Amino acid sequence: MNKTELIDSIADSADLSKAAAARAVDAFIAAVKKTLKKNGSVTLVGFGTFSVGKRAARTGRNPRTGAAIKIKAAKVPKFKPGKALKDALN
């Protein structure tokens, strides 16, 4: 499912216009990004938790030349599914 299909699904199930559903999805994504940027986390009980992880600096290899390169440390988004979401899949 892509973003457009998600918007269509939300519009149908919540009896909203597609424009209103698109604004809601965009607002949700913006709120999650803003919170993660501040190193916070977003917990949706029963669905899961979005958080920020840290990836340490490391040495990698250029696949073309085989030369060693340094890869900087980075913050990465993480998602941990909640129990209800896990149970819904099994």
Side-chain angles (χ1 to χ4, degrees), residues 8 17 20 22 43 48 52:
D8 291 342
S17 68
T43 302
V52 178

Side-chain angles (χ1 to χ4, degrees), residues 3-88:
K3 185 176 177 181
T4 303
E5 292 168 341
L6 176 64
I7 290 169
D8 291 342
S9 177
I10 290 171
D12 289 341
S13 64
D15 196 28
L16 296 171
S17 68
K18 287 185 183 180
R23 286 192 305 271
V25 169
D26 289 340
F28 172 75
I29 292 170
V32 170
K33 280 183 188 178
K34 184 178 179 181
T35 302
L36 293 180
K37 196 165 190 164
K38 295 178 186 176
N39 285 329
S41 66
V42 177
T43 302
L44 302 172
V45 176
F47 182 72
T49 302
F50 296 92
S51 61
V52 178
K54 292 183 169 99
R55 187 168 47 207
R58 62 192 192 280
T59 302
R61 294 235 172 252
N62 181 333
R64 184 173 292 177
T65 64
I69 57 172
K70 292 181 181 179
I71 301 170
K72 296 191 300 186
K75 293 183 201 175
V76 293
K78 291 175 136 185
F79 177 74
K80 183 178 178 190
K83 184 177 182 333
L85 180 59
K86 289 180 191 176
D87 291 345

